[in-house]
Amino acid sequence: MAEPVYRRVVIKLSGEYFAGPNASGIDQPTVDRVAGDLIAAKQLGVEIAVVVGGGNLVRGVDVSSRGVSRPTGDTMGMLATVMNCLALEAAIERRGAPARTLSAFVMPQISELFTRSATHKYLAEGRIVLLGGGTGNPFFTTDTTAVLRAAEIGAQAVLKATNVDGIYSADPKKDPSARRFDRLSHSEAIAGGYKVMDATAFALARDTSLPIIVFSIAEPGSIGAILRGTGHGTVVAG
């Protein structure tokens, strides 16, 4: 088996993906499959931290469009990410692997507060660390959270798990002529305005020299394949 390309990564999972075939909510079989993929990836000898979105439960932008202030809406969305982390933590531990949720918010009855030292400690113990609560601030996406946390904990890459197998010049579901990129620079990704990740996340990754690999989570084992360098995705680096 090929040695992993990276030894410590942050994996960004879409909250919408947790809904599975449903319009919203948490689809347990989907979460269980993701948990299995994460455990298999960790068994390659990789330290894994995970950032999960909250769009299957609450999207701050949507809430704020209905009259709630944007900071309040974003806070509701950040709380949704904690709920997803707790669901994923439970799924991982049901399979016999250790996990720990850390939150950007102080709520000791629910989860420990995120700190770099706590993350390093739990990664060294072999736990999959789930990072909830976004950045703890409104107006920032969980894409930006993933890059920020990766930079903070010294991860070697951000793996952006999505519903397409990389970055395309247009939405491949709407435009059959859309061109898929094998590799882009951070600046090219920003200039192209590709919707797979927000510009703030790409800019922070550029400033911290962090590669981002965009790939499809739909195929079982795709996380491990990316870590071994055999997966199908777009690399954003340089």
Side-chain angles (χ1 to χ4, degrees):
M1 182 180 294
E3 286 292 310
V5 179
Y6 306 107
R7 291 294 181 179
R8 176 180 289 180
V9 296
V10 170
I11 299 172
K12 168 63 198 329
L13 298 173
S14 162
E16 285 90 343
Y17 188 75
F18 275 31
N22 308 307
S24 61
I26 296 174
D27 179 63
Q28 198 59 53
T30 299
V31 175
D32 287 341
R33 186 186 73 75
V34 171
D37 279 3
L38 290 170
I39 293 167
K42 185 179 77 69
Q43 289 169 344
L44 298 173
V46 180
E47 293 180 342
I48 293 176
V50 181
V51 171
V52 188
N56 57 317
L57 301 173
V58 176
R59 292 185 62 85
V61 173
D62 293 345
V63 171
S64 61
S65 71
R66 297 193 292 270
V68 175
S69 72
R70 177 66 185 273
T72 298
D74 283 357
T75 299
M76 292 168 67
M78 287 186 279
L79 289 171
T81 72
V82 176
M83 295 168 67
N84 280 337
C85 283
L86 293 174
L88 183 55
E89 178 186 73
I92 292 168
E93 295 200 325
R94 275 197 305 274
R95 289 172 173 255
R100 179 58 61 94
T101 295
L102 302 177
S103 170
F105 296 109
V106 178
M107 38 187 179
Q109 294 88 348
I110 298 170
S111 66
E112 189 175 336
L113 182 68
F114 164 80
T115 62
R116 292 190 304 275
S117 59
T119 307
H120 290 149
K121 173 179 180 287
Y122 293 129
L123 289 174
E125 290 176 355
R127 295 178 186 265
I128 296 171
V129 179
L130 312 175
L131 303 173
T135 66
N137 299 287
F139 301 103
F140 291 96
T141 68
T142 47
D143 284 343
T144 299
T145 301
V147 177
L148 173 63
R149 295 294 186 242
E152 287 181 296
I153 67 173
Q156 295 170 306
V158 174
L159 276 56
K160 163 81 172 181
T162 183
N163 60 356
V164 292
D165 62 345
I167 299 177
Y168 285 77
S169 57
D171 186 341
K173 295 178 181 178
K174 298 178 181 178
D175 183 354
S177 66
R179 181 165 64 96
R180 182 185 170 280
F181 302 104
D182 288 325
R183 191 176 184 93
L184 290 167
S185 70
H186 295 110
S187 294
E188 287 170 338
I190 295 168
Y194 305 117
K195 301 301 184 184
V196 72
M197 208 168 199
D198 67 83
T200 302
F202 280 131
L204 181 57
R206 179 183 61 189
D207 292 346
T208 53
S209 301
L210 268 167
I212 298 171
I213 299 95
V214 180
F215 68 103
S216 172
I217 189 68
E219 290 296 320
S222 57
I223 297 173
I226 292 293
L227 290 171
R228 290 191 301 270
T230 60
H232 193 60
T234 299
V235 178
V236 181

